[in-house]
Structures are given as structure tokens and as C-alpha cells.
């Protein structure tokens, strides 16, 4: 079969792909399409891979299969309504996304959440990080053939979901952290459950490590795979475990602390391996550090209110509505119009399980955002895939995608 | 801070809610960003666009489109925001993806969503929307879309931009 | 299974309905879903297959990576305009008999995302058998949806899809 000269144009699923006729050592490269429905691409990621034998010579990620229009939708909602959308872009760490948005709104309003709310925010963030990491552990080890870690990981995720349900009434998309504070105070049962969870979690992390850390198959599949030098990590603006797995000590919780993270005693997990195994180790160590932060936060939970006392931003408590006309007016104004933010723009970043999840909001002085942008860690980290996978074997691509831990909802927003 | 940035290029400078920003001429964007990179702002956070169509602001922005580049200095732990205003007709600007590799996809996304052209970008094509999509969804005159919802505040909830006069 | 074509000319009588019951019972208890996760609901779908809920109790733990081996497509999450043709293609690749569960508010109606990017209900492109509400639905909800589907499959027997 003679190949046509010049660039090759394919039409796949309503998309035109231009491929240069690259020449490999033994003739033409083979172009293979992965996804968007593929069990090992962590969602609806699509990759167009040029293969020479089994070696990857070209890689083109195609994203947008989960583009949800969240940023446009936020412009159509009021400031306080938009919280529910922040849950749904990075669906493995909803409270952390809530936190980024809430902090941005609060920064522009010039208010700060009360101390108890700040500690509750830290607790929810760290619980979310744990649940996000165990889901990562389960899915990416499943992709590399280790079924048991999936079962172990989802066992712990259920405990975090139970905690979420206890404190917010919902398993996944809690919308718990809102501008001005949090949805509700922690119940006594929540604190008991959290205490029990903190006690047993280190043992569970030991179990994951027993399964994987010295497992020869796991090491063979991840060690020296997906090399990312520190220079490249900064050049490509990788964040989270991708950055720290390349030996760069940068964690927003330490370096730009928010919500009182500076008060806790913990260490940033940094590994110098620059490979998939290093990223795995970073996540495992982060789980242990999260448990440490959770323990300190639970022990230092101060008494007091969980919301700011500002009737212009948060509605009055239900019982006041029956006795106070002023409360009714405030409630009516908030329910029909919402609050407006002073004109300006602000960027706030928080550390999610995947890296820097930032929220950039622009207000034009009205009660709806002029623009809301999420700087999502997955979108930027997945940009580095080409750097990570070129020259490696096609089977290693799965390990690379797995340890990049992209959530496609976060990539496409 | 201001002495670290090429003074001729800076049109305005300020702080907003603790964030430092400068505004430069569109022609100066490459020079400004390379200078900032040399000064330690090596980490490219994001690039996005704000559409100021029919803004209710008293102080009108100079042009319709505002490009925002956010950079970070990892060593000194500081951030800077660079603003550029672009006109409504043919908004275009030089690409910076060779200075900051991380800007590559952000520029594609900004093209896809706002129709800002980045000159010198090797692969400026749609990234999130299907390739045959018409229009740039995040522009304020692009309707939110979806389906009408009975008994909802349609006029308020689904109209991003006021109707064109 | 091919048995439909053989039995169809015979009409409904004591033989065909008994075979139909048997076939329906068999099909209902081994519904293999396609491993087709889209968004948030996919995580809850995985949780349903995980240790706490164990979808295997209902014969549906075998999530197949290939649509050619699946009976059931669980549309778990929002379907974007870009994904819609892909989803339809996967549905077309599944062999008959096949069923569809629309999991979650986004797949059923577009959910909170009433905008340009999201398909306002997956039933615009594929026929849906069971809608599971929730955002995302709890794993118990998905299991309930699956049990309703099992009743439907049993009632369908060997008759062709109506």
C-alpha cells in the first residue's frame, strides 16, 4: 500500500486531524487513537499517538470532551449561586474548589471567615485530599493491573463520604465551604467519626504501602518512567505532586498559606526521583501529612460562630425571620438579588490533591461575576504529557497518565 | 516594584485586594514578559481574557478585551498580573508560548473561547469546543444557550449581555 | 441471542413465554455494563462497584472496556456536545439486546448546566430505559436503578425491544 505524499488528513468523529507523514526508522509511523472512551485514560481524555513499533514518537492530547461551560454558566448566576458549580469541575475535590472560590470572593469583599470556620475548612480540605488520593491510588493502580488497591482505596473513600454526609448532608458535591464561612457547624457525631477516622487512617496507608511500595511489578511499571526534570516542571508550570515529585519544594499551604495552614506542624512531601514512582511516593507521604494536619485541626478546633455576622452577605438565621422585619428584608434582598462585589479582579490559589487550583474572578460591581476563571491543575499538568511520554513505550503511557492524575472535568471545565 | 519592569512599557500600575498588577501596551507584551521572567517570575500561572462588553463600570475600560497574564516568582514568593487591552475589531497579540511553554494551551483556550488571535502560535486551533463550532462561547454576546425553563427568571438568569441596540 | 428470530413466528404460547421467562431471568441477572464514565457520576459508579456496595451482588460487576461485550450503557455524567457523537457511536457498537441507564441529573436533563456546551438530556441521542436522579446519585440509587432495569428485562423476555 503506497502512502500518499504530504500531510495526511483524517476525519474522526467530526474532527479533522492533520498528521505529518513522519518517517520512523522502519518506515511510516503508526498513528493510534486512544479514547475518548478508553478504560485507562482516567475519563474522556483522547490521545493521538504516533508509534514506531512500541515507542512513542508523537503524542497529541485532544481534550474538550467534557467541556461543561462552567465559566460561562457562572456569569449567568449570582455570586452565592455559583458555589454549586465550583463543586463540579474537579469532581474529586469539591470542598477544595469551594474554598478557592470562597477565598476569592472574600478577598474582594475584604472579609475573613471566623476562626472556627477556618479550621473546619482545613478539615474538609484535608479529608478531600485524602479521598482524592485514595481514588487516584485505586484507579491508577487498577490501570496498571493492581486490583486490590482499588478495593482498599474505595474502602477509605466511603469513610470520607460518610463524613461529608454527616457534616453537609451530601456525599460528593458538598458545597460546604461558602463565601463568608461554611454551610453548618460540625455535629458532635462528625467530630467522633473524624477522630475514629484519624486513628485508623495511618494503618490504612500502611496497607497501601504494603501492596505497592516494594512491589516489584509496581516498581517496574513506574520507576524511571515519565521523567520530568525540575526545569521542565517549572517551564511547563506543573503543580502539586508533579512538581514535588521533581524535587521542587513548593506547596501553597506552606508557601502562600491560606485558612490558617501556617499554624499546623507538617512537612511538605518532596521526592527527587522525577518519575512516576516519585509522584506515587509524594502522594503516599501527603496522605500521612494530611492525617497529621487533621489531628492538629481537630484538637485545636476553637469554639465560636462558623459564619461571618454580616447580613448583607449571608442570610439571617431562620428563627430571626419570624420576629424581625429587618431580617426578612435582608433575606428577601439576598434571595432575589444577592450581594454585589466591589469592582476589581482577584486571584486566589489553593493546593488541591492535583496541584494548584486557582480561582480568578472579575467583578464589575454587579451581583453576578463578569468573569470567573479556574486555573486548574489538571489542565496544566496534562500539557506536560508530551514531555513525559515521548520516547517511552506505549504501555508506559498509562503509568504516565495515571500519575499525572488529571481529572477531565477539571481539564475541560 | 516598578523599577524592575521596563518603565517605558508600563501604562499603569496598582494593587487590588493585595494583588500587584501592571498594564502594558499590547506591542510590549513579549518584551515585558521576558523581562519579568529574567527577574525571577519563572512560573506562568495562567492567561485569560475578560470581555468588557457593555460594562456597567463608571470608569470604562479602554478597550473591550482585557488579557490577563499571571506570573509567579517561586523563590521570592510574589506574583504579578500583567494586563493588556485589545480592541474589539481583530483582537490580536503576539504569542508568548516560546517564552513560557505553559502558555501554549492557555492561548489556544483563549482563542477558542474569546477569538483572540495569537500571532506566532504554532498550533492555534480549537481546544475545548468541537472543531466545527461557530462562535466564541465566552464572549458576552454569545448566548448562554441551553433550553428555556418554565417559570424561571429567564430574563435575569440566562441573559449575560444586554440585547444589542 | 438469535433465539428471538426462531421464536417470533410462533407467537405467544406456553412454549415461547416459558422460554422467554428463562431468557429474561438469565439476562436480568448478568447485565454487564460498559465501562463508560464521563464525569462525577462515574466516581459513584466506581463506588457502586467497589467494596462497600458491591454491584457484583446483582450480576453487574463485570464492567467491560469494550462496548462489543456490554449489555448496558450507564451514562454516568454530563454529555458535552463534543462527546455526543462519540457516545452515540459507542451505543451503536453495542450488540442487541442493550439497555441504557441515564445516571444523574446531567445525563438525564442537563442538570445545573443549562448551557451551550452540554447536551440537555442523553435521551436526545440514545433511548433511555431507566433514569436515576441525583447529582450525583448515591450508589444505592444506581443499584435501585439497576434493579428496576432487571424487572424491565425480565418482563421483556425474548420480545424485541418496543
Amino acid at each position: 500500500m503506497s502512502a500518499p505524499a504530504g500531510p495526511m488528513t483524517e476525519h474522526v468523529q467530526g474532527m479533522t486531524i492533520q498528521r505529518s507523514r513522519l518517517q520512523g526508522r522502519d518506515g511510516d509511523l503508526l498513528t493510534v487513537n486512544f479514547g475518548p472512551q478508553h478504560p485507562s485514560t482516567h475519563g474522556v481524555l483522547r490521545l493521538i499517538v504516533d508509534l514506531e513499533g512500541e515507542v512513542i514518537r508523537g503524542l497529541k492530547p485532544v481534550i474538550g470532551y467534557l467541556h461543561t461551560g462552567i465559566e460561562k454558566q457562572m456569569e449567568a448566576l449570582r455570586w452565592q449561586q455559583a458555589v454549586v458549580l465550583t463543586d463540579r469541575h474537579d469532581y474529586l475535590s469539591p470542598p477544595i474548589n469551594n474554598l478557592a472560590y470562597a477565598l476569592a470572593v472574600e478577598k474582594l469583599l475584604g472579609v475573613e471567615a471566623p476562626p472556627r470556620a477556618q479550621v473546619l475548612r482545613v478539615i474538609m480540605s484535608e479529608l478531600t485530599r485524602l479521598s482524592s488520593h485514595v481514588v487516584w491510588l485505586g484507579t491508577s493502580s487498577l490501570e496498571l493491573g493492581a486490583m486490590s488497591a482499588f478495593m482498599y482505596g474505595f474502602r477509605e473513600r466511603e469513610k470520607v463520604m460518610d463524613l461529608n454526609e454527616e457534616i453537609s448532608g451530601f456525599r460528593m458535591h458538598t458545597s460546604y465551604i461558602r463565601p463568608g464561612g461554611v454551610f453548618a457547624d460540625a455535629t458532635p457525631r462528625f467530630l467522633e467519626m473524624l477522630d475514629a477516622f484519624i486513628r485508623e487512617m495511618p494503618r490504612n496507608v500502611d496497607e497501601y504501602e504494603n501492596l505497592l511500595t516494594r512491589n516489584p511489578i509496581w516498581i517496574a511499571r513506574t520507576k524511571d518512567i515519565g521523567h520530568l526534570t525540575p526545569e521542565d516542571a517549572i517551564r511547563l508550570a506543573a503543580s502539586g505532586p508533579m512538581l514535588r515529585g521533581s524535587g521542587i519544594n513548593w506547596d501553597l499551604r506552606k508557601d502562600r498559606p491560606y485558612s490558617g495552614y501556617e499554624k499546623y506542624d507538617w512537612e511538605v512531601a518532596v521526592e527527587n526521583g522525577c518519575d512516576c514512582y516519585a509522584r506515587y511516593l509524594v502522594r503516599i507521604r501527603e496522605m500521612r501529612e494530611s492525617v497529621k494536619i487533621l489531628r492538629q485541626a481537630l484538637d485545636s478546633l476553637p469554639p465560636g460562630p462558623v459564619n461571618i455576622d454580616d447580613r448583607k452577605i449571608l442570610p439571617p438565621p431562620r428563627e430571626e425571620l419570624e420576629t424581625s422585619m429587618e431580617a426578612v428584608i435582608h433575606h428577601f434582598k439576598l434571595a432575589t438579588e444577592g450581594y454585589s462585589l466591589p469592582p476589581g479582579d482577584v486571584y486566589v490559589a489553593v493546593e488541591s490533591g492535583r496541584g494548584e487550583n486557582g480561582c480568578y474572578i472579575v467583578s464589575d460591581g454587579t451581583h453576578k461575576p463578569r468573569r470567573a476563571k479556574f486555573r486548574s491543575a489538571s489542565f496544566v499538568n496534562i500539557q506536560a504529557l508530551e514531555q513525559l511520554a515521548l520516547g517511552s513505550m506505549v504501555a508506559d503511557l498509562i503509568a504516565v497518565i495515571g500519575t499525572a492524575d488529571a481529572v477531565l472535568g477539571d481539564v475541560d471545565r | 516594584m516598578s523599577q524592575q519592569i521596563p518603565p517605558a512599557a508600563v501604562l499603569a500600575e496598582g494593587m487590588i485586594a493585595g494583588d500587584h498588577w501592571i498594564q502594558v501596551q499590547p506591542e510590549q507584551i513579549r518584551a515585558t514578559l521576558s523581562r519579568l521572567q529574567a527577574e525571577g517570575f519563572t512560573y506562568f500561572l495562567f492567561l485569560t481574557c475578560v470581555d468588557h462588553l457593555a460594562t456597567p463600570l463608571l470608569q470604562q475600560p479602554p478597550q473591550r478585551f482585557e488579557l490577563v497574564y499571571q506570573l509567579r516568582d517561586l523563590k521570592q514568593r510574589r506574583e504579578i498580573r500583567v494586563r493588556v487591552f485589545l480592541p474589539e475589531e481583530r483582537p490580536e497579540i503576539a504569542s508568548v508560548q516560546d517564552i513560557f511553554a505553559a502558555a501554549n494551551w492557555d492561548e489556544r483556550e483563549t482563542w477558542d473561547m474569546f477569538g483572540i488571535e495569537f500571532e506566532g502560535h504554532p498550533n492555534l486551533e480549537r481546544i475545548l469546543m468541537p472543531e466545527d463550532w461557530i462562535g466564541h462561547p465566552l464572549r458576552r454576546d454569545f448566548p448562554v444557550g441551553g433550553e428555556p425553563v418554565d417559570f424561571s427568571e429567564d430574563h435575569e438568569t440566562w441573559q449575560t449581555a444586554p440585547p444589542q441596540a | 441471542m438469535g433465539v428471538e428470530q426462531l421464536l417470533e413466528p410462533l407467537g405467544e404460547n406456553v412454549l415461547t413465554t416459558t422460554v422467554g421467562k428463562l431468557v429474561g431471568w438469565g439476562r436480568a441477572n448478568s447485565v454487564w455494563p460498559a465501562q463508560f464514565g464521563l464525569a462525577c457520576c462515574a466516581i459513584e459508579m466506581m463506588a457502586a462497584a467497589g467494596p462497600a456496595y458491591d454491584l457484583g451482588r446483582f450480576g453487574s460487576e463485570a464492567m467491560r472496556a469494550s462496548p462489543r461485550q456490554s449489555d448496558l450503557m450507564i451514562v454516568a455524567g454530563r454529555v458535552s456536545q463534543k462527546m455526543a457523537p462519540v457516545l452515540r457511536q459507542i451505543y451503536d457498537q453495542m450488540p442487541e439486546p442493550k439497555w441504557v441507564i441515564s445516571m444523574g441529573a446531567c445525563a438525564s436533563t442537563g442538570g445545573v448546566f443549562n448551557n451551550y456546551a452540554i447536551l440537555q438530556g442523553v435521551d436526545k441521542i440514545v433511548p433511555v430505559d431507566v433514569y436515576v436522579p441525583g447529582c450525583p446519585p448515591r450508589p444505592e440509587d444506581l443499584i435501585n436503578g439497576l434493579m428496576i432495569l432487571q424487572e424491565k428485562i425480565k418482563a421483556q423476555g425474548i420480545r424485541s425491544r418496543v
Side-chain angles (χ1 to χ4, degrees), chain A residues 63 65 67-68 165 170-171, chain C residues 44 78 80 82 135 138:
Chain A
I63 61 171
Y65 286 97
H67 176 57
T68 317
E165 202 173 359
F170 205 31
R171 277 165 60 89
Chain C
E44 287 294 66
R78 49 205 187 232
S80 70
K82 197 170 177 177
C135 187
R138 300 173 60 91

Side-chain angles (χ1 to χ4, degrees), chain B residues 77-149:
Chain B
R77 293 177 190 161
R78 50 187 186 153
E79 281 177 21
I80 193 163
R81 187 175 305 150
V82 182
R83 295 176 200 280
V84 173
F85 283 92
L86 294 178
E88 190 167 351
E89 285 86 38
R90 256 192 99 69
E92 55 182 356
I93 192 163
S95 165
V96 294
Q97 60 88 30
D98 50 337
I99 303 172
F100 289 103
N104 190 327
W105 280 20
D106 272 347
E107 288 187 349
R108 279 178 69 190
E109 190 192 327
T110 311
W111 152 250
D112 190 358
M113 291 290 147
F114 288 94
I116 311 285
E117 283 193 37
F118 292 89
E119 283 169 59
H121 192 287
N123 186 24
L124 196 66
E125 56 188 51
R126 291 201 180 267
I127 184 166
L128 294 179
M129 300 310 296
E131 208 176 54
D132 50 1
W133 190 264
I134 297 166
H136 300 286
L138 275 176
R139 286 191 174 191
R140 294 287 282 201
D141 46 8
F142 190 96
V144 177
E147 288 180 354
V149 180

Side-chain angles (χ1 to χ4, degrees), chain A residues 247-267:
Chain A
I248 292 168
N249 188 339
W250 178 269
D251 190 314
L252 287 163
R253 292 173 288 169
K254 264 287 195 252
D255 294 291
R256 292 180 80 85
Y258 51 92
S259 274
Y261 265 110
E262 66 277 9
K263 286 185 296 198
Y264 306 108
D265 174 34
W266 59 285
E267 279 169 26

Side-chain angles (χ1 to χ4, degrees), chain B residues 11-54:
Chain B
L11 292 177
E13 183 176 8
M15 296 283 282
I16 181 154
D19 292 2
H20 181 229
W21 61 269
I22 58 168
Q23 186 202 329
V24 298
Q25 292 277 16
E27 302 79 47
Q28 297 287 336
I29 188 69
R30 285 180 63 86
T32 311
L33 289 196
S34 347
R35 180 75 177 265
L36 286 170
Q37 189 183 37
E39 276 163 17
F41 290 95
T42 49
Y43 195 77
F44 185 90
L45 278 169
F46 67 86
L47 149 68
T48 191
C49 179
V50 185
D51 184 353
H52 285 293
L53 179 71

Side-chain angles (χ1 to χ4, degrees), chain A residues 87 91 94-95 157 161 164 170-174, chain C residues 40 43-44 136:
Chain A
D87 281 316
Y91 41 79
R157 178 179 178 270
M161 291 298 114
N164 278 354
F170 205 31
R171 277 165 60 89
M172 267 178 86
H173 299 318
T174 56
Chain C
C40 334
I43 310 292
E44 287 294 66

Side-chain angles (χ1 to χ4, degrees), chain A residues 19-261:
Chain A
R19 288 263 131 215
S20 58
R21 276 266 175 203
L22 293 172
Q23 289 288 316
R25 216 181 17 236
D26 308 318
D28 273 358
L29 296 183
L30 179 68
T31 304
V32 179
N33 180 58
F34 278 75
Q37 195 263 345
H38 189 273
S40 296
T41 55
H42 250 59
V44 288
L45 177 65
R46 175 168 171 218
L47 300 165
I48 299 164
V49 189
D50 291 325
L51 296 175
E52 180 186 342
E54 276 199 62
V55 183
I56 299 169
R57 293 290 177 220
L59 176 81
K60 185 184 169 197
V62 183
I63 61 171
Y65 286 97
L66 198 54
H67 176 57
T68 317
I70 284 180
E71 291 171 2
K72 183 81 173 175
Q73 189 86 62
M74 284 183 82
E75 292 171 12
L77 296 179
R78 296 178 213 126
W79 288 107
Q80 82 267 40
Q81 290 176 319
V83 177
V84 295
L85 297 184
T86 61
D87 281 316
R88 287 165 175 78
H89 72 93
D90 178 355
Y91 41 79
L92 282 181
S93 47
I96 296 182
N97 307 332
N98 293 161
L99 183 57
Y101 176 72
L103 286 173
V105 171
E106 285 169 7
K107 194 170 166 188
L108 206 49
L109 279 170
V111 298
E112 196 170 71
R116 188 175 173 87
Q118 296 214 0
V119 178
L120 284 173
R121 285 175 173 191
V122 168
I123 289 176
M124 286 307 277
S125 297
E126 294 309 313
L127 280 176
T128 309
R129 193 182 320 280
L130 282 169
S131 77
S132 159
H133 279 355
V134 294
V135 170
W136 164 79
L137 185 86
T139 53
S140 56
S141 59
L142 187 66
E143 283 154 15
L144 294 179
M147 181 80 185
S148 331
F150 170 81
M151 293 297 173
Y152 280 62
F154 270 73
R155 182 188 62 189
E156 267 65 66
R157 178 179 178 270
E158 284 306 320
K159 289 174 189 157
V160 178
M161 291 298 114
D162 289 346
L163 283 161
N164 278 354
E165 202 173 359
E166 177 63 28
I167 199 166
S168 75
F170 205 31
R171 277 165 60 89
M172 267 178 86
H173 299 318
T174 56
S175 290
Y176 179 69
I177 299 168
R178 298 170 183 190
V182 296
F183 157 65
D185 202 351
T187 58
R189 182 157 172 264
F190 173 82
L191 299 177
E192 277 170 33
M193 286 163 73
L194 180 61
D195 187 62
F197 177 76
I198 294 169
R199 277 174 212 281
E200 64 193 24
M201 192 62 201
R203 222 169 40 239
N204 295 328
V205 182
D206 290 343
E207 283 182 3
Y208 310 148
E209 288 224 73
N210 281 343
L211 278 176
L212 294 176
T213 303
R214 280 183 299 281
N215 182 332
I217 302 172
W218 180 254
I219 291 175
R221 297 281 325 250
T222 56
K223 202 148 193 157
D224 294 322
I225 304 291
H227 202 75
L228 184 71
T229 61
E231 295 75 34
D232 279 343
I234 288 185
R235 197 171 60 83
L236 293 162
S239 57
M242 291 269 280
L243 189 66
R244 292 192 284 279
S246 291
I248 292 168
N249 188 339
W250 178 269
D251 190 314
L252 287 163
R253 292 173 288 169
K254 264 287 195 252
D255 294 291
R256 292 180 80 85
Y258 51 92
S259 274
Y261 265 110

